[in-house]
Amino acid sequence: MQLSKSGLAPGTKPRGFIATGAMIVKRETPLALYKGLGAVLSGIVPKMAVRFASFETYKGWLADKETGKTAVGNIFLAGLGAGTTEAVAVVTPMEVVKIRLQAQMHSLADPLETPRYRNAGHAVYTIVREEGVGALYRGVSLTALRQATNQGANFTAYQELKKLAHKWQPELEDLPSYQHMFIGLISGAMGPFSNAPIDTIKTRLQKATYEPGTSAFQRIASIAREMWRQEGVKSFYKGITPRVLRVAPGQAIVFAVYERVRRLIENAKGSEDSDVYTE
């Protein structure tokens, strides 16, 4: 949806979420809905590892030295830092490869129709060979801005909603997993709504190729001008529905699992400490 320019012809409307999915299935078979999955799978584990490790590190640095607690503003800063770190370390190359794979229009049902990029590994090899390693970091500034605002909003909302849940249920030492999931669902939806224009411009930037010597600012400005002139302000919010439907449930699962694993690790450490004390 972010790459589509449907609706430009007089008397036509841009394709919506369902219509876009139906068109992809009709033209490229249902398997096309999973294009770029290899890039996502190879990047999602290191992305989450970097996100939570860096967030906890920055949160610790920004915590009050006496109480050990971190203020709301500093939670937001730690989220900004975590988002920027994951964008530079993992997300940008993963997004470039994923978008290149998804932007290809070919039928997966026809074995004779050979795509430009066969899979994630082949896409990385081709991009580096033809455009250089730097091409994998195309749009890194916008990706960092998107991830920073995402995680700033995400972690701040999550921490505050969790505090509120504990306030309403003072008898609970730990919230049940379903509550962590619900809080993660809400906090996960906040990022996409806060930075949809950034994400749409980033997607178009990473899909395109440019002549050497063109600065990142010139590319970004050119895309934004073209979108504004040809498609209007609504084009900056293309794909917001599927993005929220992807990100919010993903964050619900991630936070529930994270809290569960964190609790298990803390309990294991506690039992080890008590064993040492007993000895």
Side-chain angles (χ1 to χ4, degrees):
M1 288 179 72
Q2 290 178 332
L3 295 171
S4 172
K5 296 187 179 180
S6 63
L8 290 181
T12 62
K13 292 182 178 180
R15 276 188 298 271
F17 171 45
I18 302 298
T20 300
M23 181 202 68
I24 292 170
V25 169
K26 182 179 179 181
R27 187 175 60 191
E28 305 177 57
T29 79
L31 287 174
L33 296 174
Y34 291 87
K35 279 183 179 179
L37 182 61
V40 174
L41 288 176
S42 60
I44 194 73
V45 173
K47 178 174 86 167
M48 291 302 170
V50 169
R51 174 182 299 177
F52 282 98
S54 59
F55 172 74
E56 293 293 348
T57 301
Y58 300 145
K59 181 183 169 186
W61 290 347
L62 295 168
D64 186 283
K65 303 303 179 188
E66 294 180 3
T67 64
K69 294 182 178 180
T70 310
V72 178
N74 287 340
I75 290 285
F76 182 73
L77 289 177
L80 289 179
T84 303
T85 303
E86 71 177 14
V88 175
V90 182
V91 178
T92 304
M94 181 186 78
E95 289 273 301
V96 170
V97 173
K98 183 193 75 171
I99 289 166
R100 294 289 184 95
L101 288 166
Q102 290 177 338
Q104 297 181 117
M105 293 185 186
H106 69 285
S107 174
L108 295 175
D110 185 358
L112 298 178
E113 191 174 343
T114 306
R116 177 175 172 76
Y117 308 114
R118 294 193 295 272
N119 51 51
H122 182 252
V124 171
Y125 172 77
T126 305
I127 292 168
V128 171
R129 187 188 65 187
E130 296 181 357
E131 303 172 54
V133 176
L136 292 174
Y137 281 87
R138 182 167 293 148
V140 65
S141 58
L142 287 179
T143 305
L145 184 59
R146 184 196 70 173
Q147 294 303 115
T149 51
N150 261 355
Q151 300 319 315
N154 189 16
F155 279 112
T156 304
Y158 182 80
Q159 298 283 343
E160 290 304 299
L161 288 171
K162 198 167 96 168
K163 283 181 192 174
L164 193 61
H166 275 293
K167 186 177 179 181
W168 288 344
Q169 305 165 101
E171 72 281 2
L172 293 179
E173 185 178 345
D174 291 309
L175 298 177
S177 292
Y178 78 88
Q179 291 189 21
H180 285 136
M181 289 188 76
F182 184 68
I183 294 169
L185 186 76
I186 296 171
S187 65
M190 295 193 175
F193 283 116
S194 69
N195 57 28
I198 297 169
D199 189 55
T200 306
I201 295 171
K202 176 203 71 68
T203 298
R204 296 198 179 194
L205 177 68
Q206 291 176 327
K207 185 252 181 183
T209 56
Y210 290 89
E211 292 293 326
T214 310
S215 70
F217 178 78
Q218 288 173 320
R219 297 169 186 171
I220 293 167
S222 173
I223 291 169
R225 277 197 304 269
E226 184 182 347
M227 288 173 64
W228 179 267
R229 290 172 184 169
Q230 296 185 5
E231 303 169 68
V233 68
K234 288 184 179 179
S235 66
F236 291 93
Y237 289 86
K238 279 186 174 181
I240 186 68
T241 301
R243 189 169 169 229
V244 171
L245 291 176
R246 172 179 66 86
V247 172
Q251 289 304 305
I253 294 167
V254 164
F255 274 117
V257 173
Y258 176 72
E259 293 284 2
R260 183 71 175 173
V261 172
R262 184 180 59 80
R263 201 179 310 153
L264 289 172
I265 292 172
E266 287 176 353
N267 290 341
K269 281 185 177 179
S271 63
E272 285 177 9
D273 291 342
S274 63
D275 289 343
V276 172
Y277 181 76
T278 304
E279 289 172 5

